[in-house]
Amino acid sequence: MAYVESKSDCAGSLVMKHLNAMQDQDRHSLMANIIGIVALMGTAPTFELSKLFAEYLGDQMLAVVCRHYEDINLLESYDENGKLNPNFALHMFTRELGQSINDRYLVLCIEEIRVCEADKDVEGKLLFPHPTLPDGSTPAGFLGYAVNMINIEDDHWDTKTASGCGLRETLFYRLFGETQVYETRKDMKRAMSCIKDRAVSMDGGILRGNGAITLGCLEPDVIFPIEPARNRLSENDMRVMKRCRELKLELKETIRELVGKRKSHKSDLERFYERRDLYVRFFVRLSSVGSKKFRSLDSL
């Protein structure tokens, strides 16, 4: 965090300084929906992965993270002519520090991000199928998906959208998508046929997808903090979450069966009404014929 804050020309750095300089009451009332910056939202289990992911994300590492589009008004304001108001919010704060923001910067709003709809395991990792080669095997050197290799930072473990979605299926899925991670460039190249999105390799390969690949070498200034992966849940918590997942699957199956039964019931009911109407019309005609016969007998 100290290194991020030291980048005086960075909007993300100034946002962090602004949050830290505010009193707790002001922070919760005015800036509660400004969550922070990407680089401090998660951690990486190793330096190699942290450096690789930082190279892959580039300037997005210093993107400001907030909740809604409306929260952008806490960062900037414009006049009727569309010109930036330098006497408002973040720009006013930076001027007080003797600094300025002279470039554009990225803001990511988690409530507006299209949520990944993949199922999750008991630890909240997204359950993507392993890539498969034409012969059905998993490519050699495949290590997993980047979005699952980032550990959500402790302070943001409970940061969720209004619908209960966490940072992995919103923010980090927005950043990484289904980017695959391989051991080497050679492994990544051999797996090209089953890389549907993007891929990176531990020796620095970055495949952007759709015909794009990043070459060269870079030592990123800002990387994710290093923290070895650990199990955040007790065995009992994991059992409870596993049982909840099983019950959710059972509920989904029950609902599917119920929908089928309702459709079948509706179809059977329609056939019943059709046959009932036929019988009613038949007995009405029969009754009418019988009445005519009785009247004929009475006239004799």
Side-chain angles (χ1 to χ4, degrees), residues 58-97:
D59 292 342
Q60 294 181 107
M61 286 288 287
L62 293 173
V64 179
V65 182
C66 64
R67 292 192 176 277
H68 307 274
Y69 282 140
E70 292 77 8
D71 300 326
I72 294 173
N73 295 329
L74 297 172
L75 299 172
E76 289 190 350
S77 177
Y78 300 86
D79 62 22
E80 295 180 354
N81 297 320
K83 291 185 178 181
L84 184 67
N85 182 355
N87 300 311
F88 183 81
L90 188 60
H91 289 271
M92 180 177 65
F93 176 72
T94 57
R95 195 174 66 254
E96 292 173 356
L97 294 176

Side-chain angles (χ1 to χ4, degrees), residues 16-167:
M16 295 307 300
K17 287 182 181 179
H18 191 16
L19 289 172
N20 292 335
M22 296 178 71
Q23 298 294 327
D24 288 340
Q25 182 177 356
D26 292 334
R27 185 184 299 119
H28 286 95
S29 61
L30 296 175
M31 301 286 282
N33 286 340
I34 305 299
I35 301 171
I37 63 172
V38 168
L40 300 176
M41 297 287 103
T43 64
T46 66
F47 173 77
E48 290 75 18
L49 272 176
S50 180
K51 178 177 177 293
L52 177 63
F53 292 160
E55 285 188 73
Y56 178 79
L57 294 180
D59 292 342
Q60 294 181 107
M61 286 288 287
L62 293 173
V64 179
V65 182
C66 64
R67 292 192 176 277
H68 307 274
Y69 282 140
E70 292 77 8
D71 300 326
I72 294 173
N73 295 329
L74 297 172
L75 299 172
E76 289 190 350
S77 177
Y78 300 86
D79 62 22
E80 295 180 354
N81 297 320
K83 291 185 178 181
L84 184 67
N85 182 355
N87 300 311
F88 183 81
L90 188 60
H91 289 271
M92 180 177 65
F93 176 72
T94 57
R95 195 174 66 254
E96 292 173 356
L97 294 176
Q99 300 171 352
S100 62
I101 301 174
N102 300 316
D103 201 355
R104 289 184 178 272
Y105 59 97
L106 179 65
V107 179
L108 299 173
C109 309
I110 63 172
E111 291 285 358
E112 320 298 340
I113 293 174
R114 186 181 300 110
V115 177
C116 175
E117 297 181 354
D119 289 333
K120 296 182 290 184
D121 64 15
V122 294
E123 293 184 330
K125 303 293 181 66
L126 301 175
L127 294 174
F128 297 129
H130 281 195
T132 46
L133 295 168
D135 63 3
S137 64
T138 299
F142 173 72
L143 301 178
Y145 289 91
V147 68
N148 288 329
M149 294 182 173
I150 286 289
N151 303 314
I152 307 301
E153 208 277 332
D154 286 344
D155 290 343
H156 296 287
W157 183 251
D158 293 322
T159 299
K160 298 183 184 299
T161 65
S163 59
C165 298
L167 292 181

